[in-house]
Amino acid sequence: MQLEFKKVYPVFSWSWDIPGDDDADREIGDEDLCGICRVSYNGTCPGCKYPGDNCPLVIGECNHNFHVHCIQQWLATPTAKGLCPMCRQQFSLKRGVAINEGQVEKLANLLLQPRPAALAADDQDMMMDQEFAVR
Amino acid sequence: MTLSDEGRELSEQLHSLLHDVDSSLEDDLEGILTWVNPNEPGSNHQMRPPSLRVKSAIKSLLNGVVTSESFIDLLGKYMIFQTRKHFFLNYQSLLYFKDVQKLERYYEFPTRYVNIFSSEEWCDEMSGLRNYLIRQNSGLKNNIQLRLEQLVHEDDFDMACKIYEWLCQAEGRLLPEILVDVLLSKVKLFASKNMNSAWTQRFTIMEAYNLFVTNYWSVFCRMLQCMEDDHEITNEIYRCFEEEFIRIRTSQVFDIFVTGFPTTKPTLLELRSVLKTSVKYTELITEFLYQFESKMLNPSITTAEILLSYVRAIKSILIVDVSFRYFQLLTNFVRPYLMERHDTVATFLYAMLGLDASDLSSKNSTSTHMSIASQLSAELRGSHQPISSSTAERGNLPHGKHALSMNPYEPAYQQIIDYYLHWNPEPADSIQANNDQALISKELFDIIVELFDSKDVIVREFLGLFTRKLLGLRGYKLESNWVQSLKVVKKKLDFKTYSSAQEFSNINNIDVMLRDVKHSEELCSLMHEKLGLSDRIIPKFVSYLFWNAHSDFSALPKDHPLPKELEADINNYKKAYTNVKKGRKLRLHPEQSIVELQLRLADGRDLNYEVTLDEALVLSYLSSNGDGTVEEIVKQTNLDISQVEKSLKFWVKSSILRYSTETSRYSVEERQNVDVKHAVERQSSSEIVNATDSVDLQQQQFIDSMQKVLPFIKGMLTNLGSLKADKIHSFLKMAVPKEIGYSATPSQLQLYLNALVEESKLVKTPNGAFRLAK
């Protein structure tokens, strides 16, 4: 029997291609969530309606991933001090990753904002603790 | 003194009187007395003219020889006595008017020859007897009245007048009450004859009334002895026609509301104009609900039919009932029944949104179903427009009575005080006119949506339909009816009116899906034109999280080996996509993808199929490998076993594959089997397998879905002790998250709970509630 595909109407689903994150044996539903808004990477941040181009994902040097709007908002707050909200390392975009292309400039301004004089990591934490205690 | 003594005495007195005059005439007298005596049926006149002898005897006795008045008097007394005697002996056996007439003629006959009574004398005598008869013989009275009625029904007014006159004489007065009864029954008959099937005429009452007056009123006037232009009576008759009209239409309510709708609109409008009291409305609606239940609410009626009749009924009720109070009764009445049916929402949506019958995905729809569905959709077309036809007339009514109009001859303050302080509540029936303005914007869509528990049910179902539709699209263009539907749904189920975030996100999903389709189109044209990729592939790129209405995308991601030529193309597309959309990757979903296949078999058959990609993959594997078992195919194609089995069944049924029971292997049927019988057998057996499979599958699916719900049931029983099934049902509907999904009907839940009782997981208390087994 000869079998010919005359027309094909394939349905593809897209997802963010996160290097090193092989989802071959992971069920959808167990997928990773944005560390800030707790919505799936492939969904949107709370402020967006459409996923994908309008609400991209960024990958940090620390390998923590966020919706770009979420991390932007975080970095704009004074308490952020340019740190990753997950691991408290200095947040910067991972280089050489396709996802981050195009987002570097958006975040560059925020990351370059002058920060308070560098404090020892421990002191900083203490200050944070105090802040909580005062409240 | 007995009757016979009195008779004998009278006869003797007559004889002795005659003896004094002329004794030779005694024989003649004897002859006459016998001839006139009704009590001697063997030898009297027998309704025949007298013999010559009797004739000459009468002549000689009454006209010639005897002139004495006392003799004549005595003879009269004798005749009257004998007549009365006969009457009192026989009156009870009289049953019908014709018997009475016969008897009267029998009594009257001899007086024609023995002419000794004046006409008044005889009439008085007869009236006395009639009066006695009518008072004592009630059976006869009834029969005569019935006869009168019957004659009027048969339009035999001559006879009817005779009977009526007789009755009047008997009673000694006019009998308007009897005549009115007869008149009313005639109106009833006439109305039912003229109104029964006149559903398409607007002024049936007026026409019937006019016809009635033209044909019969003059006769009735004569009988009633009233003026022909006595409008008090004619108005009453008109009201009777109205009452009859309401009565007839109430008895036909199902036919005019549902079966004959919309051709019955004229009669509905007429009905509205005559229904004036809430009692009549209630009667009408009660009767309708009764008929609706007996004709529609039973398991042999399809959901589409019920919905169709429901929608027609709502439309009819809205025409008839301008107060908008009664349709709610119908909705409340039908809701529990329709909620028992799973396909209600889908059927409703298809029809409501005017989707083609071709969009119906149900496999077992026959042409009748289709026609009902299309009728339903025709009924619902434009249902999202405000209802205006039924209320427009009333909405424009000036409320003159309620408006404050100043009278120049009275002090203004007095008028204002009178107007505002001396307020009387309006009677309930007149409120409708004021409410119309508010209700005019009520739309049929809203009314029908109220049939469902919540709008969410509809949104969810619509989303399911819409997802299937978009996934199945051949290109990127939605048909106009879908676009229209979408507008309606978005307008009607506007997320702004929602409080729940979940419902909002459902609406949002539609936007994302549409945007995905639009982007796919843009990408596709880019890939075809700029990147020069194969144009036989028309891809869709979906944001799977937003297309999850059917959880079709939640399967484990797997790589399915594709046929080489296809694989290259698909990979090109994946690469191109990754280049255009940086940082993203694609995954193919064979079960959602559709392919147009051309098969060329060894016997020269050229066949075209439109199938899902997984079905094509199964066939492609077998065509390149010759044959294979289910397990081999599953292993090689990396598809689910259920998918593979489904595909194999499809191809076997299409006579492309053959299954060998000996080797348990499938292979391509290159040459069509000429043994038609064999083919038929195979097909029918596979259908049976399919049918039983689908029943099993459904049952299994139901059990699986209920297993997921079981923890919720246990939880609520732990907390609350014992609960009845309907309470559990409503709790589950509230509590079970959508991802798990609870779609059972109350009766299914009841069955499931009973099964749990049998498994000793639950205990049923005597009052029908369930609690956990200890």
Side-chain angles (χ1 to χ4, degrees):
Chain A
M1 178 177 66
Q2 285 179 358
L3 185 147
E4 193 187 340
F5 290 89
K6 303 283 280 182
K7 280 262 185 212
V8 185
Y9 305 94
V11 173
F12 296 102
S13 65
W14 64 264
S15 54
W16 293 107
D17 188 10
I18 299 160
D21 184 30
D22 189 8
D23 61 0
D25 36 67
R26 178 194 295 153
E27 255 189 87
I28 289 175
D30 296 351
E31 60 200 311
D32 282 329
L33 309 176
C34 164
I36 296 172
C37 68
R38 312 300 298 160
V39 174
S40 160
Y41 293 157
N42 298 316
T44 63
C45 74
C48 283
K49 185 168 179 180
Y50 300 109
D53 295 339
N54 295 43
C55 189
L57 195 72
V58 287
I59 301 180
E61 204 62 72
C62 54
N63 283 331
H64 286 125
N65 313 329
F66 307 99
H67 293 125
V68 75
H69 299 136
C70 297
I71 192 71
Q72 265 179 336
Q73 211 178 338
W74 162 250
L75 291 174
T77 57
T79 43
K81 300 180 178 76
L83 305 180
C84 167
M86 305 291 280
C87 62
R88 307 233 147 243
Q89 293 182 50
Q90 202 65 51
F91 188 81
S92 61
L93 294 185
K94 197 169 187 172
R95 287 176 202 287
V97 184
I99 292 182
N100 287 347
E101 285 176 30
Q103 311 305 328
V104 180
E105 272 182 28
K106 279 189 204 168
L107 282 185
N109 288 336
L110 280 171
L111 293 169
L112 288 175
Q113 270 172 8
R115 283 178 225 125
L119 295 165
D122 289 353
D123 292 348
Q124 207 175 338
D125 280 346
M126 274 171 65
M127 278 186 72
M128 294 264 308
D129 290 345
Q130 276 168 2
E131 243 181 69
F132 279 119
V134 170
R135 279 177 202 161
Chain B
M1 189 160 54
T2 62
L3 283 171
S4 54
D5 291 342
E6 200 182 336
R8 205 175 317 123
E9 196 175 301
L10 276 170
S11 158
E12 278 167 10
Q13 281 178 15
L14 275 168
H15 277 287
S16 70
L17 260 181
L18 194 66
H19 188 72
D20 298 343
V21 182
D22 185 351
S23 60
S24 65
L25 290 174
E26 278 190 30
D27 277 354
D28 286 350
L29 177 65
E30 190 55 44
I32 292 172
L33 291 184
T34 312
W35 189 77
V36 298
N37 189 354
N39 294 308
E40 286 188 36
S43 49
N44 69 2
H45 53 81
Q46 292 173 346
M47 301 291 282
R48 279 196 295 271
S51 62
L52 213 56
R53 193 176 150 253
V54 175
K55 223 185 225 172
S56 64
I58 293 171
K59 205 173 170 185
S60 55
L61 270 179
L62 300 183
N63 301 331
V65 189
V66 184
T67 49
S68 135
E69 272 191 24
S70 58
F71 178 79
I72 303 284
D73 272 354
L74 213 53
L75 185 60
K77 267 187 190 166
Y78 176 81
M79 277 176 77
I80 284 177
F81 167 78
Q82 290 298 350
T83 307
R84 285 181 183 175
K85 184 180 164 192
H86 183 264
F87 172 77
F88 288 114
L89 287 173
N90 292 295
Y91 79 93
Q92 272 168 334
S93 63
L94 295 174
L95 281 178
Y96 300 105
F97 184 67
K98 63 172 193 263
D99 301 339
V100 178
Q101 278 182 309
K102 215 164 124 190
L103 193 68
E104 284 187 3
R105 275 201 302 274
Y106 184 58
Y107 292 157
E108 202 186 329
F109 187 79
T111 64
R112 285 192 222 164
Y113 300 91
V114 186
N115 200 359
I116 52 172
F117 297 106
S118 72
S119 62
E120 292 90 48
E121 256 180 314
W122 185 251
C123 278
D124 286 349
E125 178 58 27
M126 281 294 116
S127 301
L129 294 182
R130 284 170 185 174
N131 191 277
Y132 185 85
L133 182 64
I134 215 76
R135 280 173 201 283
Q136 299 301 320
N137 189 342
S138 57
L140 174 75
K141 188 181 177 183
N142 281 339
N143 284 342
I144 290 180
Q145 284 179 7
L146 282 176
R147 177 72 184 144
L148 177 63
E149 208 173 294
Q150 194 191 354
L151 287 170
V152 170
H153 285 179
E154 289 165 359
D155 290 358
D156 184 353
F157 286 99
D158 293 340
M159 190 63 198
C161 283
K162 263 188 207 162
I163 293 186
Y164 179 66
E165 276 167 26
W166 187 92
L167 271 174
C168 289
Q169 273 184 4
E171 293 276 6
R173 62 188 175 92
L174 286 176
L175 297 166
E177 69 278 2
I178 291 179
L179 210 51
V180 167
D181 282 349
V182 171
L183 178 64
L184 287 183
S185 79
K186 179 70 184 170
V187 166
K188 207 169 175 176
L189 187 80
F190 191 78
S192 77
K193 206 169 101 188
N194 283 279
M195 293 173 175
N196 248 344
S197 53
W199 292 343
T200 50
Q201 289 160 21
R202 176 70 202 270
F203 301 102
T204 332
I205 301 176
M206 187 55 90
E207 278 168 15
Y209 167 77
N210 284 341
L211 200 60
F212 182 82
V213 167
T214 317
N215 289 350
Y216 306 115
W217 183 231
S218 57
V219 188
F220 277 111
C221 273
R222 264 206 319 277
M223 287 163 88
L224 280 165
Q225 300 191 356
C226 68
M227 305 286 284
E228 275 201 38
D229 56 355
D230 188 340
H231 293 303
E232 211 177 320
I233 303 181
T234 49
N235 283 346
E236 279 303 310
I237 294 176
Y238 187 78
R239 278 197 346 107
C240 293
F241 270 99
E242 282 186 349
E243 293 288 316
E244 271 309 299
F245 179 77
I246 296 173
R247 192 189 60 78
I248 291 170
R249 290 296 179 260
T250 305
S251 68
Q252 302 169 329
V253 63
F254 185 82
D255 292 330
I256 58 167
F257 273 20
V258 176
T259 321
F261 191 85
T263 50
T264 54
K265 256 185 195 167
T267 212
L268 291 174
L269 288 170
E270 190 170 13
L271 191 59
R272 179 177 77 184
S273 65
V274 291
L275 278 176
K276 291 191 180 103
T277 62
S278 54
V279 179
K280 295 280 176 202
Y281 271 113
T282 314
E283 271 174 22
L284 182 78
I285 302 295
T286 313
E287 177 64 24
F288 177 71
L289 293 184
Y290 174 73
Q291 293 189 13
F292 193 84
E293 184 179 22
S294 64
K295 291 188 183 171
M296 278 304 172
L297 299 186
N298 64 56
S300 64
I301 307 286
T302 63
T303 309
E305 280 173 284
I306 297 180
L307 271 176
L308 177 64
S309 47
Y310 169 76
V311 170
R312 284 181 171 173
I314 285 285
K315 283 187 172 184
S316 306
I317 292 177
L318 289 177
I319 291 177
V320 171
D321 165 35
V322 280
S323 69
F324 287 88
R325 274 182 256 159
Y326 296 96
F327 71 84
Q328 198 62 44
L329 287 175
L330 177 65
T331 306
N332 294 343
F333 186 73
V334 177
R335 182 186 289 137
Y337 195 84
L338 278 179
M339 286 304 103
E340 280 281 297
R341 297 189 169 215
H342 281 303
D343 54 344
T344 306
V345 186
T347 314
F348 161 73
L349 270 178
Y350 272 113
M352 182 59 110
L353 305 173
L355 306 181
D356 272 345
S358 57
D359 290 321
L360 266 175
S361 55
S362 166
K363 288 164 206 101
N364 50 4
S365 340
T366 61
S367 56
T368 16
H369 288 140
M370 287 297 179
S371 88
I372 289 165
S374 63
Q375 278 180 46
L376 179 55
S377 106
E379 284 293 337
L380 288 171
R381 198 158 295 141
S383 62
H384 39 84
Q385 307 299 330
I387 302 159
S388 52
S389 63
S390 63
T391 52
E393 298 164 25
R394 284 184 165 265
N396 295 334
L397 275 179
H399 304 301
K401 191 187 152 197
H402 309 287
L404 174 60
S405 54
M406 287 300 202
N407 178 353
Y409 303 107
E410 249 184 89
Y413 73 89
Q414 189 62 48
Q415 290 181 46
I416 290 172
I417 287 174
D418 284 350
Y419 184 77
Y420 288 106
L421 296 185
H422 298 162
W423 174 82
N424 289 319
E426 293 170 71
D429 295 324
S430 71
I431 293 174
Q432 57 197 40
N434 299 344
N435 280 353
D436 279 359
Q437 288 301 337
L439 280 159
I440 206 158
S441 60
K442 186 101 175 165
E443 295 167 15
L444 187 58
F445 187 99
D446 301 323
I447 293 172
I448 298 173
V449 165
E450 279 170 23
L451 188 62
F452 304 99
D453 292 344
S454 72
K455 285 184 177 181
D456 188 39
V457 184
I458 299 174
V459 174
R460 217 182 313 153
E461 189 67 33
F462 178 77
L463 216 58
L465 290 179
F466 193 64
T467 312
R468 274 204 298 276
K469 176 73 191 171
L470 282 186
L471 285 174
L473 270 187
R474 296 296 178 268
Y476 302 102
K477 289 272 175 280
L478 264 180
E479 287 96 335
S480 61
N481 59 344
W482 275 92
V483 177
Q484 194 61 37
S485 317
L486 204 58
K487 280 184 192 157
V488 173
V489 169
K490 286 195 81 170
K491 182 176 154 231
K492 286 287 153 196
L493 311 175
D494 191 355
F495 61 82
K496 279 177 201 141
T497 60
Y498 282 123
S499 48
S500 141
Q502 181 62 52
E503 284 162 354
F504 165 72
S505 87
N506 277 337
I507 299 287
N508 186 39
N509 282 358
I510 295 181
D511 290 339
V512 176
M513 288 193 281
L514 286 174
R515 185 173 164 277
D516 279 349
V517 172
K518 186 167 159 272
H519 275 198
S520 303
E521 186 179 12
E522 288 164 10
L523 280 172
C524 176
S525 67
L526 176 85
M527 288 168 173
H528 286 176
E529 287 160 21
K530 299 259 170 69
L531 308 177
L533 296 182
S534 160
D535 60 2
R536 67 175 174 153
I537 292 184
I538 297 163
K540 281 189 211 69
F541 307 103
V542 305
S543 310
Y544 67 90
L545 281 178
F546 298 80
W547 290 65
N548 235 347
H550 278 270
S551 64
D552 291 324
F553 293 98
S554 57
L556 281 172
K558 285 179 194 165
D559 276 332
H560 307 287
L562 300 172
K564 277 204 180 69
E565 77 277 15
L566 192 61
E567 187 168 23
D569 281 340
I570 293 286
N571 284 339
N572 284 341
Y573 271 90
K574 284 185 176 174
K575 270 184 217 151
Y577 185 84
T578 309
N579 283 335
V580 177
K581 302 278 178 189
K582 297 276 186 223
R584 295 200 234 170
K585 60 185 177 184
L586 288 182
R587 185 154 74 86
L588 180 67
H589 296 272
E591 69 280 17
Q592 314 291 354
S593 308
I594 291 165
V595 292
E596 285 174 26
L597 277 186
Q598 190 181 42
L599 309 180
R600 180 160 294 162
L601 292 136
D603 60 358
R605 277 184 295 162
D606 263 348
L607 299 168
N608 288 309
Y609 281 97
E610 212 174 75
V611 292
T612 58
L613 184 57
D614 51 357
E615 283 166 339
L617 288 181
V618 169
L619 191 65
S620 156
Y621 170 80
L622 286 172
S623 95
S624 52
N625 290 291
D627 64 352
T629 62
V630 175
E631 292 72 27
E632 284 167 8
I633 301 170
V634 169
K635 199 173 165 196
Q636 291 301 319
T637 57
N638 217 0
L639 293 167
D640 280 349
I641 186 157
S642 60
Q643 273 172 308
V644 170
E645 279 174 345
K646 195 177 115 245
S647 311
L648 287 171
K649 241 174 225 164
F650 171 77
W651 290 120
V652 169
K653 206 174 161 191
S654 314
S655 305
I656 303 295
L657 291 185
R658 171 176 57 219
Y659 178 64
S660 153
T661 40
E662 291 131 36
T663 57
S664 308
R665 295 180 86 80
Y666 287 89
S667 58
V668 178
E669 190 153 53
E670 293 283 3
R671 291 183 190 284
Q672 194 166 25
N673 201 334
V674 283
D675 187 354
V676 178
K677 192 180 156 205
H678 177 62
V680 169
E681 269 175 11
R682 182 179 50 191
Q683 184 150 352
S684 59
S685 69
S686 80
E687 269 167 17
I688 290 164
V689 170
N690 270 347
T692 50
D693 274 8
S694 75
V695 170
D696 288 349
L697 197 69
Q698 278 178 8
Q699 213 162 2
Q700 195 53 47
Q701 277 173 352
F702 175 67
I703 292 169
D704 288 350
S705 74
M706 290 312 284
Q707 284 296 344
K708 288 183 196 159
V709 173
L710 185 59
F712 290 87
I713 299 177
K714 282 184 174 166
M716 71 179 78
L717 292 181
T718 314
N719 290 331
L720 300 170
S722 66
L723 285 173
K724 287 196 174 172
D726 53 345
K727 203 93 182 175
I728 298 179
H729 176 72
S730 49
F731 268 134
L732 287 176
K733 283 190 96 160
M734 220 158 47
V736 177
K738 209 185 300 171
E739 296 78 53
I740 293 175
Y742 172 70
S743 59
T745 64
S747 54
Q748 283 177 327
L749 178 72
Q750 183 85 39
L751 286 175
Y752 181 69
L753 291 173
N754 287 337
L756 289 179
V757 171
E758 278 171 29
E759 289 171 24
S760 308
K761 288 182 182 162
L762 298 182
V763 178
K764 199 168 183 177
T765 62
N767 64 353
F770 294 89
R771 62 178 171 78
L772 286 176
K774 280 170 191 163

